[in-house]
Every structure is written in structure tokens, then in C-alpha cells.
Amino acid sequence: MTTLPSPAPSPAAARPRRPVLPYAVIAWALLYGAVRVRWALVGSPAFPPLDTDLVVFTGWWAVALCAAAGLVGAGLAAARSWRPALAVAGWGVCAAVLLSCALLLLDVVGLLILDPGAAFHPGALLSRLACLAGAALLHAAVLQHRRRLRGDCRRCGRTGAAREAATTVPTWVRVAAWSAVAGCLLRLAAQLWVGFEDVPLSAGASMVAFEVGFLLAGVLLPLALAHSWGVVWPGWVPLLAGRRIPRLLLLVPAALFSVGLVCYFGVGLAQLTVETVTGTFDPGDGRYPLAFFWVAEPAYWLWGWGLGGAAVGHHLRTRRPCRGCGR
């Protein structure tokens, strides 16, 4: 019996689908960029008491950032092969957008402890969230470009042969976790040096929530990312002992908090360096000397980088084989 040849795929079926995310980036750049152009021309709304919604890239610099994101989006939409330079440019613009909305860390912390504080402004929060959305879209678009055109698995991004699951925690992950703990404790030591009179635990439920969250994010979370009891609930946890811990329960707060710390205190350290070198440091009400900031801000930055490294290690150690490629 003769077998009929299978029909050749139609040109439409053979052609890879055009990616959608680059166009989402272009749309974001046009919409958010139009808002920034208007504010640059006629003045932005008042955002008391900080008088700004973004940092580093403000005014026409924010417009330029939106334009750069739109150009990268157009490049990603037109690309028909893997372009490393385009990916580097995309992630560079993404990092700049993240830096510009660094004040979002203060908003999130304030909302989590149910005390946004006098520095909170709803309009500024919405602007920073829109800025963060642009960074997320741009990152996703570059990642999609990399997976589509470099030969990676489009579902998980992995390449090469399947690897066996790690049975031990790599040394670099433990170093990252303990670096985060060291940063947290160093920040506490700086506060101990100047005293706790201005931040008493009796200040109310919000301050108690802040202190508890501070220690959880600075000690328990990074260590959980680097130890077995961050994968399976330990025996002393009622009802959950022995069950596997949902990986996103640790990875989501670790990723968000680490990015927030690195961006916010990265900007703060740059500003502190300039003010120290030029002699323009403003002590404010004089409660904290310059030396305090040179201990506290690098401690926060170390905490952020360490937490991020521990999160990456936990992700690599606990991810399951991809349902798409089996790696």
C-alpha cells in the first residue's frame, strides 16, 4: 500500500508567530511617555512631601528613558535572529527604569505595616507602579527574544542536556545568605550605636510589625533559602511538618525585596558619595551623623545583594524538570 506524502505546511504555518511583548513595550513607552512629556512641558503634579514620583531619571530624562524603551521594543519586534547587543541594551534600560521608581520600596513597606506615613502620596504610587510595569514588560520581552531566537526552551529558557537535581546547597548560596544576614545585623548595630530612642517598640502596632518583618526578611528568609528547612517544613511546624514548601512562598518576597533594596540604597549610596565628596551632606535634624549613613546604607545594599543571590540559588536548586523540554 502506498503512503501518500504529507502535505507541505502552509507558509503561514511555517512562519514563527510574531512576538507580542515587544509591542506591549512600545505601547507602554507611548502611553507613559506621553504622560511624562506633558509633565515635562507644563509641570508635574505636586507629590508632597518628597515633591517627586521618580528619582535619578526625572523631567526630560524620564521622557528619554521611555523613548529608549520604545526603541528597544521596536528592535525586538523587528529582530529575526538572536541579537546579544539588543538584549544588553534592553536589560540596561530595564535597570534604569527600575532605578527611577526606587521610592516604591518605601510605599510597599509602609502599606505592609499599615502605616504609609507622611511621605506617601497615591498619585506618586501609581506613577511608580506604572514605571515598574514598564520594567517588567521590557524584561519579559528581552527574555522572550532570547528564548525564541537563541535556541533555548521557550517555556523555561534552559539549554543543553538535562541536569540532575542538586542534593547539596552550593557554597556561594550559603555565602550569599549569610551576607544578607550580616547586612541586616550590621544595620541593627548602626541603630544600636546611635540609640533606639527615636524608634521605640512601644510606638504602636505598625512599629512592631516593621521590626518583626525586618528580622524575618533579614534573618529567617535568607537562611531558609540556603537550608533544607526552606524546602520542606521542619518538624516543629504544626500541621505542615514534612510537607514541601511552595517555592514561590520564599522566592517572590525575596526577589521583590532584594530588587527594592539594591535599587533604593544603590541610589542612596550614589547620592551619599556625591554629598560626602562635595561637602554638601545635609544632616537634617542632626539626629544621625554622617558616619551612621556610611554604615547603614552599605549594610542595606549588602543585604539586598545577598538576598538576591540566595534567591537565585534556591530557584536553581528547587526548580522541577520543564514539562516542555524535560530539562
Side-chain angles (χ1 to χ4, degrees), residues 109-171:
V109 171
L111 292 173
L112 286 176
I113 64 174
L114 304 178
D115 184 18
F120 177 79
H121 190 282
L125 172 63
L126 289 177
S127 177
R128 292 163 195 154
L129 288 174
C131 198
L132 179 64
L137 283 173
L138 187 54
H139 168 71
V142 175
L143 200 62
Q144 183 186 62
H145 168 75
R146 180 176 179 268
R147 291 179 178 181
R148 285 181 65 251
L149 301 176
R150 205 186 67 159
D152 300 354
C153 172
R154 295 192 184 185
R155 190 184 189 94
C156 68
R158 302 175 202 175
T159 58
R163 298 179 181 179
E164 296 183 359
T167 57
T168 59
V169 180
T171 301

Side-chain angles (χ1 to χ4, degrees), residues 10 48 60 64 115 167 244 247 254 265 287 309-310 324:
S10 65
W60 286 106
D115 184 18
T167 57
R244 191 174 184 86
R247 58 199 304 267
F265 289 100
R287 288 184 299 174

Side-chain angles (χ1 to χ4, degrees), residues 74-132:
L76 292 173
R80 294 295 179 267
S81 61
W82 163 238
R83 304 292 184 185
L86 184 60
V88 171
W91 275 318
V93 175
C94 180
V97 174
L98 280 176
L99 283 177
S100 65
C101 58
L103 291 174
L104 190 58
L105 177 66
L106 299 182
D107 297 327
V108 172
V109 171
L111 292 173
L112 286 176
I113 64 174
L114 304 178
D115 184 18
F120 177 79
H121 190 282
L125 172 63
L126 289 177
S127 177
R128 292 163 195 154
L129 288 174
C131 198
L132 179 64

Side-chain angles (χ1 to χ4, degrees), residues 5 53 188 218 251 297 305:
D53 56 332
L188 284 176
L251 288 177
E297 295 200 12
W305 282 111

Side-chain angles (χ1 to χ4, degrees), residues 24-270:
V25 172
I26 296 172
W28 172 86
L30 291 173
L31 292 173
Y32 191 65
V35 174
R36 304 308 310 193
V37 167
R38 174 178 171 78
W39 288 357
L41 289 173
V42 303
S44 63
F47 296 120
L50 300 179
D51 295 327
T52 184
D53 56 332
L54 304 182
V55 294
V56 183
F57 297 94
T58 59
W60 286 106
W61 285 108
V63 176
L65 200 57
C66 292
L71 289 175
V72 171
L76 292 173
R80 294 295 179 267
S81 61
W82 163 238
R83 304 292 184 185
L86 184 60
V88 171
W91 275 318
V93 175
C94 180
V97 174
L98 280 176
L99 283 177
S100 65
C101 58
L103 291 174
L104 190 58
L105 177 66
L106 299 182
D107 297 327
V108 172
V109 171
L111 292 173
L112 286 176
I113 64 174
L114 304 178
D115 184 18
F120 177 79
H121 190 282
L125 172 63
L126 289 177
S127 177
R128 292 163 195 154
L129 288 174
C131 198
L132 179 64
L137 283 173
L138 187 54
H139 168 71
V142 175
L143 200 62
Q144 183 186 62
H145 168 75
R146 180 176 179 268
R147 291 179 178 181
R148 285 181 65 251
L149 301 176
R150 205 186 67 159
D152 300 354
C153 172
R154 295 192 184 185
R155 190 184 189 94
C156 68
R158 302 175 202 175
T159 58
R163 298 179 181 179
E164 296 183 359
T167 57
T168 59
V169 180
T171 301
W172 66 268
V173 178
R174 294 188 184 276
V175 170
W178 282 105
S179 296
V181 174
C184 174
L185 296 181
L186 184 59
R187 172 62 182 89
L188 284 176
Q191 192 65 51
L192 181 63
W193 173 45
V194 297
F196 287 88
E197 291 78 10
D198 297 315
V199 285
L201 290 177
S202 59
S206 296
M207 182 55 66
V208 174
F210 175 80
E211 296 296 339
V212 171
F214 185 92
L215 293 175
L216 287 177
V219 178
L220 184 63
L221 180 57
L223 293 182
L225 292 169
H227 290 82
S228 60
W229 48 269
V231 179
V232 177
W233 292 105
W236 49 266
V237 179
L239 303 179
L240 296 175
R243 296 186 180 184
R244 191 174 184 86
I245 299 176
R247 58 199 304 267
L248 294 183
L249 184 65
L250 299 179
L251 288 177
V252 170
L256 294 177
F257 196 53
S258 63
V259 170
L261 286 175
V262 169
C263 290
Y264 181 81
F265 289 100
V267 173
L269 272 174

Side-chain angles (χ1 to χ4, degrees), residues 301-324:
W301 212 46
L302 174 64
W303 180 355
W305 282 111
L307 187 59
V312 170
H314 187 77
H315 162 69
L316 296 175
R317 183 165 58 101
T318 60
R319 65 181 183 179
R320 296 179 178 178
C322 175
R323 288 180 293 178

